[in-house]
Amino acid sequence: MLWTIFQSFLSIALELTVLFIGISLLISLIQGLIPYEKLNGYLSGRSTALGVLAALILAFVTPFCSCSTIPVIVNLLKEKVRFGIVMVFLFSSPVLDPTIITLMGAMLGVKVAVTYTLITAILSTVIGLLLEKLGFEKSVKQIIMTEYEESAQKFSLRRALQETIGLMKTVYPYLIIGAAIGAVIHGAVPTEWISSTFGGDQWWIVPIAAIIGIPLYIRLSMMIPMSQMLIVKGMAVAPVMALMISSAGASLPELALLNSIFQKKLVTAFVISVFAMATISGFLFYLI
């Protein structure tokens, strides 16, 4: 088991490192090419509906896992994009992926895929705007907002490398710690035990599945075949959806990364929000 956990840690750490560096560099490179003034007009204009729609579309066309979403969040915050709209993107990006949703429809049914898409989009919107309404914008660490001048954002490989290195220095230790903890939990919790324990239809299975999913670093693409297997083994669809959404929406590596840019108050609110999103989604699946 120790060797399995070690292999899992190396795999997770390598994947996260490559994804994070690659996406950080890419975002930094294209910063100078993106008309942020126009983008900000769509995302944080007077029309909340238009801003939410833009965030959901952006989330839908960016196939990022929960961890690799963080560089995008950092840059959106740097660009002064409205906090509530950024939160909508944060919650929706890891769970909305056209390829995976299509695969979900093929493996679990079109009804499940459509319901999943609508529920996650609506709940991401409600939670994101609610966090803004409650004043959590003040819990963003100011360090990520410093040393930024809009006029200085030009297409420059050197500047992109500098920003990427700076971001990695800030968050990489959290990345490795989170990957190590996630690997231990991932290797120590067998799928067979989960399916046998949560194979009934009792109401409490849904929140328990949501709690279990949060510390597991399982990408949505991995959860689809796992979900099919769990359902075949007798696990109800509702807790499977709760497990899928919570594991895709949050993970220990992501929480470690968020801790480097958000204050603990906002990180805690994020965890509670993902749990609520997964639990409510699971209960709604009892109705279909």
Side-chain angles (χ1 to χ4, degrees), residues 6 22 31 43 48 88 117 122 131 135 141 218 221 223 231 275:
F6 180 69
Q31 265 189 336
L43 292 177
T48 299
V88 173
T117 302
I122 292 172
L131 289 178
K141 292 182 179 179
I218 305 178
S221 56
M223 273 303 302
I231 292 174
F275 168 75

Side-chain angles (χ1 to χ4, degrees), residues 103-126:
L103 182 61
M104 182 187 298
M107 300 183 70
L108 303 179
V110 175
K111 186 178 180 179
V112 171
V114 172
T115 303
Y116 168 88
T117 302
L118 292 176
I119 289 175
T120 51
I122 292 172
L123 290 179
S124 295
T125 300
V126 172

